[in-house]
Amino acid sequence: MINIMKKISLYIIAILLLIFTGYPFLYMISTALKDQSSFFEKPFALFSSFNLENFVSVFEMGLTRYFFNSILITVVAVGVVMFIGALASYPLSRMNFKLNRVVFLLFISGMMLPIHATLIPIFKLTENIGLYDTLWALLGPYIAFSLPISIFILTQFMREIPKALEEAAKMDGCTHFGIFWRVILPMLTPALMTVLIYNFIHLFNEFIFALVLISSPSSMTLPLGLQDFKGEFSVNVPGLMAALTLASLPILVIYLFSQEKVVKGLGGGAVK
Amino acid sequence: METHIKVARSRTKSQAISKRSSTFKNNLTIFLFIAPAFIIYAVYVLYPIYSTFNYSLYEWDGMSEKTFIGLQNYVNLLNDAIFWTSLTNNVWVVLTSIFVQIPLGLIMALMLFAPIRGIRLMNSVYFFPFLMSTVAIGLLWVLMYDPINGVINQLINLLGFGNIAWLSGSNTAMIAVLLVVVWQFSPFYMILFKAAIVGVPEELYEAAEIDGANAFTKFIHITFPMLMPTIVSSSILAIVGSLKAFDIFYIMTGGGPNHSTEIMGTYMFKQAFVNFNMGYASAIAFLMFFIALIVTIIIQLMDYYRKKKGAIS
């Protein structure tokens, strides 16, 4: 009897948490599928209608452009971070030299830095080099702020690679870059996946740099564009919901296909 | 004889030279590996922190000449009621993380190990909120909080209460936004705790079972103490997290109504890019950096002592 009571209370907690975490998504998707009049008639009925018009109108309003911008800047920034992050992690994790510890700590402490502490100087710098209000204004800040966590993950992983492999390659006359390129990098794939996922999701959703460095719609990324939609859709709730659904879709799809990797990636090295 | 010594000497000399040149070559290699990352990092992170401090000593609108005023911005900051409001709100964000998000994340993680069906569904759905962009989350919840069409007021009506204008009332706005922060970040703590729970050695539970422990005593005497390091470090990291908070407040309330949801992030942004008080905003920003720095040092020290203790025992 006590056992059954216990089970029931566990199920109740589980279901309450499912509603708490999942309901807003159901509400968003089901509202996106309603037209204006059915939204006002029955705003809370779940999946009472199935209407794709909102999605079409969202695309017509320029969401495609924001989408493309976001994907482009995210892919380029993450690609650069993976490469130069791995390069820097190699000596930091596998060589002894004087400033090793200092340089390492300088990089790592960047994880704790509030972006605001760099915002005004980066804004001025971007203006001065003539990148203000272009998509590429975001590249430098995105790379720089992704480096700390990436180097943290990569150095942790590289320390585990046995030294013997490296020595064998050295015997064969490999240069340091040769060792890095042919020995270390191929073994790094799992760590690079973590770096890729973590940074992709964070940069795809990044807001404050975009807000400060970009003002015209043609250069906007998705989060910034969404915020702009808010004004246009202030009366059209289903339209805005359609935009939100579409904006959340890519990451949710990636998640559903490789759940374990995404969870591990977002744990950012804390979760092994 | 002498020539022998000479030869030997010159040999050591040339060895020393080649050794020196090889360390030079080695250093150059190290430099070339680190340089690309370090240069970008220095330009966009390290130097800007110095610039922020430098700007904070001036009165400056961002365009015309700067006027040096020493520490006046910091003095003004201490006398600025809105600054104190935002600092207090930052403290609320921290307290919410420690007393709501972390416990909720722990409960969510424990549910994933509960002896019931549907673990896989829970595992997927509980994590959803953490994946959505903060901007999208903010806009979604603004609509859910809507005084007329919002689903939350509908729920409250069902319970027999009248409509509440959540985000436009000074008393309710902060709570409303904090609930969304909890919704977004609890899943993050869930995955941290899930990993920590998996790391607890199975033998401990087996030994406890032999001693006749039930699920509750096992949690109190084994799981909870084993999770304590995760709880402590997450609680300290919550301070840094609150300094980084910006998006959700900016989207949902913009710091309003009447500064009731102002946090340091939104206040700094307003001073810099709305009022163009760049010097004053830099002072706020540098203070944020300073708090984060102290937290970092505390964490490093704790780590150091934990390792030292581990080495002795």
Side-chain angles (χ1 to χ4, degrees):
Chain A
M1 189 61 195
I2 292 169
N3 250 332
I4 293 172
M5 291 285 282
K6 229 192 242 167
K7 273 251 160 86
I8 289 174
S9 53
L10 279 178
Y11 274 111
I12 289 172
I13 298 172
I15 289 167
L16 282 178
L17 284 171
L18 276 176
I19 293 170
F20 179 61
T21 48
Y23 176 78
F25 287 91
L26 291 181
Y27 176 72
M28 173 176 80
I29 296 166
S30 100
T31 309
L33 294 169
K34 290 173 184 170
D35 54 37
Q36 283 270 51
S37 59
S38 67
F39 171 71
F40 283 115
E41 271 166 34
K42 285 183 282 181
F44 311 108
L46 285 179
F47 298 103
S48 57
S49 58
F50 194 85
N51 186 327
L52 289 174
E53 259 170 57
N54 292 315
F55 291 95
V56 178
S57 68
V58 166
F59 272 114
E60 280 165 1
M61 286 187 64
L63 195 85
T64 337
R65 174 88 216 169
Y66 304 145
F67 231 102
F68 176 75
N69 282 344
S70 267
I71 297 274
L72 181 64
I73 190 73
T74 306
V75 167
V76 173
V78 173
V80 175
V81 164
M82 284 165 73
F83 183 64
I84 66 174
L87 272 180
S89 302
Y90 174 61
L92 288 174
S93 61
R94 305 184 70 82
M95 290 176 178
N96 288 319
F97 58 99
K98 234 189 208 162
L99 292 172
N100 190 325
R101 186 100 193 117
V102 177
V103 174
F104 182 68
L105 278 179
L106 268 182
F107 273 122
I108 299 306
S109 47
M111 284 194 281
M112 313 287 268
L113 185 74
I115 285 177
H116 287 78
T118 64
L119 213 47
I120 295 174
I122 288 179
F123 169 71
K124 292 312 282 183
L125 174 74
T126 310
E127 269 189 340
N128 291 340
I129 56 179
L131 282 179
Y132 179 74
D133 202 18
T134 67
L135 185 63
W136 300 110
L138 299 174
L139 188 62
Y142 279 10
I143 293 172
F145 275 86
S146 306
L147 280 172
I149 182 83
S150 309
I151 289 180
F152 179 70
I153 295 168
L154 291 169
T155 48
Q156 263 192 335
F157 192 86
M158 273 193 214
R159 287 199 183 106
E160 315 272 308
I161 299 174
K163 265 246 149 59
L165 282 171
E166 209 174 313
E167 245 110 67
K170 221 181 249 170
M171 294 284 209
D172 295 344
C174 253
T175 59
H176 274 299
F177 190 77
I179 295 171
F180 169 75
W181 192 252
R182 284 194 216 114
V183 182
I184 305 286
L185 211 53
M187 301 187 68
L188 218 52
T189 320
L192 285 173
M193 274 304 285
T194 309
V195 170
L196 172 79
I197 291 168
Y198 182 94
N199 290 319
F200 188 92
I201 292 177
H202 277 262
L203 294 182
F204 194 78
N205 292 338
E206 200 281 335
F207 179 61
I208 185 162
F209 277 126
L211 178 67
V212 169
L213 301 177
I214 288 171
S215 62
S216 51
S218 65
S219 310
M220 281 182 183
T221 57
L222 201 51
L224 197 57
L226 277 184
Q227 191 229 358
D228 230 35
F229 266 0
K230 188 187 165 189
E232 313 232 9
F233 275 119
S234 55
V235 283
N236 181 1
V237 174
L240 182 57
M241 289 298 182
L244 295 181
T245 306
L246 282 173
S248 312
L249 216 56
I251 307 265
L252 283 178
V253 168
I254 295 173
Y255 174 67
L256 289 176
F257 277 101
S258 55
Q259 200 167 323
E260 287 303 309
K261 284 205 181 86
V262 171
V263 169
K264 195 176 152 225
L266 281 176
V271 183
K272 277 186 192 155
Chain B
M1 188 70 176
E2 261 185 23
T3 46
H4 272 289
I5 293 171
K6 255 186 201 162
V7 169
R9 264 194 200 145
S10 73
R11 206 178 270 160
T12 47
K13 211 184 234 171
S14 76
Q15 264 173 359
I17 288 170
S18 85
K19 201 179 173 195
R20 206 180 301 151
S21 87
S22 90
T23 48
F24 172 75
K25 217 180 129 197
N26 217 6
N27 282 340
L28 184 74
T29 318
I30 290 169
F31 174 79
L32 287 177
F33 269 102
I34 298 181
F38 194 79
I39 291 169
I40 295 180
Y41 190 66
V43 169
Y44 281 99
V45 176
L46 299 178
Y47 187 71
I49 295 171
Y50 163 75
S51 298
T52 296
F53 175 68
N54 191 20
Y55 292 159
S56 76
L57 303 176
Y58 291 84
E59 187 175 335
W60 184 37
D61 62 3
M63 260 91 64
S64 50
E65 275 301 293
K66 297 195 267 276
T67 326
F68 184 80
I69 52 168
L71 293 176
Q72 193 57 46
N73 280 324
Y74 293 93
V75 175
N76 294 346
L77 208 52
L78 295 180
N79 294 315
D80 182 346
I82 300 170
F83 169 73
W84 286 107
T85 309
S86 53
L87 190 66
T88 316
N89 283 336
N90 268 97
V91 174
W92 278 115
V93 177
V94 177
L95 294 178
T96 311
S97 316
I98 297 175
F99 294 107
V100 185
Q101 275 171 49
I102 292 178
L104 190 63
L106 181 57
I107 292 172
M108 285 158 90
L110 288 171
M111 289 310 292
L112 299 180
F113 295 91
I116 53 174
R117 284 155 172 275
I119 300 284
R120 280 186 56 174
L121 178 72
M122 279 152 44
N123 203 354
S124 308
V125 176
Y126 287 180
F127 196 63
F128 271 177
F130 195 61
L131 295 165
M132 212 175 163
S133 86
T134 311
V135 174
I137 290 174
L139 295 175
L140 174 60
W141 280 84
V142 166
L143 292 170
M144 297 200 352
Y145 276 126
D146 193 278
I148 301 156
N149 293 318
V151 69
I152 290 171
N153 274 324
Q154 178 76 7
L155 188 73
I156 283 170
N157 289 157
L158 282 179
L159 297 173
F161 296 97
N163 282 0
I164 299 173
W166 290 98
L167 294 172
S168 42
S170 305
N171 297 323
T172 50
M174 192 65 192
I175 294 169
V177 180
L178 285 176
L179 176 73
V180 182
V181 177
V182 169
W183 185 78
Q184 183 182 13
F185 286 103
S186 296
F188 174 70
Y189 292 108
M190 176 185 82
I191 57 169
L192 288 188
F193 285 127
K194 189 183 159 198
I197 292 172
V198 170
V200 177
E202 197 59 38
E203 299 89 59
L204 290 179
Y205 293 114
E206 283 161 13
E209 251 161 59
I210 294 170
D211 292 344
N214 61 25
F216 182 72
T217 48
K218 270 193 275 184
F219 173 74
I220 290 294
H221 293 290
I222 302 173
T223 317
F224 193 69
M226 292 294 276
L227 295 182
M228 213 51 209
T230 314
I231 294 171
V232 171
S233 54
S234 312
S235 303
I236 299 171
L237 281 172
I239 300 173
V240 178
S242 95
L243 290 173
K244 288 185 178 174
F246 172 79
D247 304 8
I248 201 79
F249 287 85
Y250 180 83
I251 297 286
M252 289 188 71
T253 62
N258 195 21
H259 299 293
S260 61
T261 58
E262 202 80 78
I263 53 170
M264 286 167 87
T266 54
Y267 192 47
M268 180 270 166
F269 177 84
K270 267 184 210 167
Q271 288 293 355
F273 299 102
V274 180
N275 304 341
F276 291 98
N277 276 330
M278 293 280 187
Y280 195 58
S282 294
I284 304 173
F286 191 73
L287 209 64
M288 293 167 78
F289 163 75
F290 191 70
I291 299 171
L293 182 72
I294 289 175
V295 174
T296 312
I297 291 172
I298 292 174
I299 288 183
Q300 284 288 333
L301 284 179
M302 277 176 49
D303 222 38
Y304 175 76
Y305 282 115
R306 198 183 302 151
K307 267 182 199 150
K308 215 170 148 189
K309 226 166 101 189
I312 290 166
S313 60

